[in-house]
Amino acid sequence: MTTVSLVSLVGHAEHHLPRMLGFVGPSENGLYPFDEYLFLIDQASQDKTEELVRRFVEAAKAQGVSASYELYPFDGDFPAAWNKLFAKVTSAWHLHIAADEALIGADSLRGLLSSLPPEVDECALLFREVLVQRPWNHLTRLL
């Protein structure tokens, strides 16, 4: 079975998080589309970012889904922060997504990834982002 983790680096994001979490959270049948949720929170966030992520993580865990978050002293080094997150991933694939992004159709993502040949270890998701000008996001397979 193809396993997929969602990883997100967030900070000062209380206005964007509800939208993103709504798209990656449980579907109408109550099932979470990802096997694992990992969040790294900028500890300098002065808004409700940590509270929103904590509530999401607690709800996911209550449903038996692997979920965690960690406060991080973010110093502007995005690669170091992402690498800290990626080091914790246990799923075959991981999707990194920002708080101001949304993924529609997350429940069909596993089927798409299962259909890829084994030699494919990375793919880009093309989407039109309303809130920011970001034309793609990445999914990476752990080898």
Side-chain angles (χ1 to χ4, degrees):
M1 180 170 110
T2 300
T3 55
V4 186
S5 294
L6 178 130
V7 295
S8 187
L9 176 62
V10 296
H12 313 285
E14 76 174 298
H15 298 293
H16 297 295
L17 269 172
R19 177 177 176 260
M20 185 268 272
L21 295 174
F23 280 108
V24 300
S27 61
E28 291 176 4
N29 61 8
L31 299 176
Y32 285 77
F34 295 95
D35 301 290
E36 178 178 55
Y37 293 85
L38 301 167
F39 297 93
L40 198 59
I41 302 171
D42 178 356
Q43 71 181 25
S45 291
Q46 298 296 314
D47 60 8
K48 295 182 180 176
T49 296
E50 181 181 1
E51 177 186 337
L52 293 168
V53 171
R54 180 184 47 76
R55 286 195 311 224
F56 181 88
V57 164
E58 288 172 355
K61 284 180 167 181
Q63 296 299 315
V65 176
S66 176
S68 65
Y69 75 92
E70 180 180 340
L71 293 175
Y72 182 71
F74 184 65
D75 61 1
D77 187 349
F78 282 97
W82 283 114
N83 286 335
K84 183 172 180 62
L85 269 171
F86 296 152
K88 297 177 181 221
V89 171
T90 62
S91 296
W93 286 91
H94 63 272
L95 168 68
H96 46 97
I97 189 168
D100 58 358
E101 298 173 330
L103 177 65
I104 298 170
D107 52 347
S108 60
L109 187 61
R110 189 180 320 274
L112 169 72
L113 296 174
S114 296
S115 69
L116 294 174
E119 62 272 12
V120 174
D121 62 1
E122 188 170 352
C123 63
L125 296 177
L126 299 175
F127 63 93
R128 184 176 139 232
E129 179 54 55
V130 176
L131 298 177
V132 295
Q133 294 298 318
R134 216 175 277 136
W136 50 269
N137 215 326
H138 273 96
L139 278 154
T140 306
R141 186 188 318 239
L142 297 180
L143 301 176

